[in-house]
Amino acid sequence: MHPEGVEETLRALEAALGCGIRSAAPVTDRRRGAAVYHVEHTHGQLALKTGPAAGREAAVLTALAELYPGYLLAAGEGWLALRWLTGPTTSELFAAGRADPAARPRALAAASELAAAVADLHAVGWRHGDLQPRHAHHEGLGAAQLIDFGIAHPPAGDLRTPPCPYRGGMAHFAAPELAATLAVTPADAGVPLTEAAEVYTLSAVLFYLAADRLPVDYAAVGLDRATASVADLHRVLAGGPTGDVRGDLAGWPELADLLTAGMNPDPTGRPAAADFRRLAALSA
């Protein structure tokens, strides 16, 4: 028995790929009206993503086909089919690295792979828009597959605009300048995302994974995360990281310089995503 409401989509998927569907199991909670299913079919397995942004995400992945060959398998009205990713997420690899020193080199390699994926996007004018600890899978040493491109930002002049006003990705990792803009911008108005702001987010995500804490200690600044609004978070995040960033990275000296620079409140003082590629040599 397939999940309720997806029978028509599964029939369209069968027609598009010329396969028979054996099972379709939900693997994520619905967010922004979207859902993801693990589909097993006569030729293998795939991820089926449904929701209002599916068409836009399919258009983005079509534009990025050279970066991610074979990732987008098919798409239709309100759905897209993606290669099923079996590799661990960046979050999983860092959790292993925090628990076991022997797993640290793989975590550092994952940091390099994630940064390289972001740098590759920036090199062709795109920004991901929603970098998170679990938004990259590491399929093999040397490569990271980013996921969730529904709110990606295209190169200047590209017509594949986000499907709704851009209000940032996960708030906890927002660059100070982006948070400051969001804090004073009406909720129905979008804001631009720069490469420098995304480098901050990349750095903040990696800091969170290495230090096992968010860049801003909300309790220390008198904010209760349980009751705070997103606007409250943005006002606090606009002040930049709190606490001893470098000290909290003492267990990861390979990351300390890059992440401290990457979370510089001044965007002009941040490295580019491509500068993180040096982690590959450190983790070898």
Side-chain angles (χ1 to χ4, degrees):
M1 187 71 177
H2 298 137
E4 184 178 356
V6 300
E7 289 288 350
E8 185 176 346
T9 298
L10 292 174
R11 287 195 295 271
L13 176 61
E14 286 181 321
L17 294 180
C19 66
I21 303 299
R22 291 174 173 163
S23 66
V27 294
T28 66
D29 295 329
R30 290 182 176 271
R31 295 181 305 124
R32 298 174 182 162
V36 178
Y37 303 89
H38 178 202
V39 175
E40 294 187 351
H41 57 88
T42 51
H43 303 319
Q45 57 185 339
L46 55 81
L48 173 66
K49 190 169 185 178
T50 64
R56 200 273 170 163
E57 184 165 4
V60 172
L61 290 172
T62 298
L64 296 172
E66 289 190 11
L67 284 182
Y68 306 119
Y71 181 49
L72 176 65
L73 302 176
E77 185 66 33
W79 62 270
L80 68 159
L82 304 166
R83 180 167 53 85
W84 181 254
L85 302 176
T86 59
T89 64
T90 318
S91 179
E92 291 168 333
L93 290 171
F94 265 86
R98 293 195 307 271
D100 179 5
R104 284 169 43 89
R106 184 64 189 100
L108 288 170
S112 175
E113 292 158 8
L114 174 60
V118 175
D120 287 343
L121 267 184
H122 289 184
V124 293
W126 285 84
R127 286 128 291 150
H128 183 272
D130 195 17
L131 297 178
Q132 297 185 26
R134 294 180 176 86
H135 276 186
H137 286 259
H138 300 264
E139 294 293 279
L141 192 61
Q145 172 65 65
L146 291 169
I147 66 171
D148 280 8
F149 287 85
I151 54 176
H153 283 232
D158 193 298
L159 297 179
R160 286 172 290 246
T161 56
C164 55
Y166 182 69
R167 301 293 298 172
M170 185 174 281
H172 307 304
F173 305 116
E177 69 275 16
L178 181 63
T181 301
L182 287 166
V184 297
T185 304
D188 59 352
V191 298
L193 175 65
T194 65
E195 290 183 8
E198 186 145 274
V199 165
Y200 180 97
T201 298
L202 167 66
S203 304
V205 165
L206 291 174
F207 173 81
Y208 168 73
L209 293 176
D212 200 23
R213 79 163 176 91
L214 291 169
V216 170
D217 183 344
Y218 297 116
V221 296
L223 191 67
D224 182 357
R225 278 181 61 190
T227 59
S229 67
V230 175
D232 290 333
L233 293 179
H234 285 149
R235 281 190 285 272
V236 170
L237 290 162
T242 62
D244 184 3
V245 170
R246 184 175 290 277
D248 287 341
L249 291 170
W252 300 81
E254 306 91 342
L255 294 172
D257 287 344
L258 273 175
L259 299 192
T260 301
M263 291 195 294
N264 188 334
D266 178 2
T268 65
R270 295 174 200 150
D275 293 329
F276 285 66
R277 294 182 190 272
R278 74 182 75 164
L279 292 172
L282 294 173
S283 62

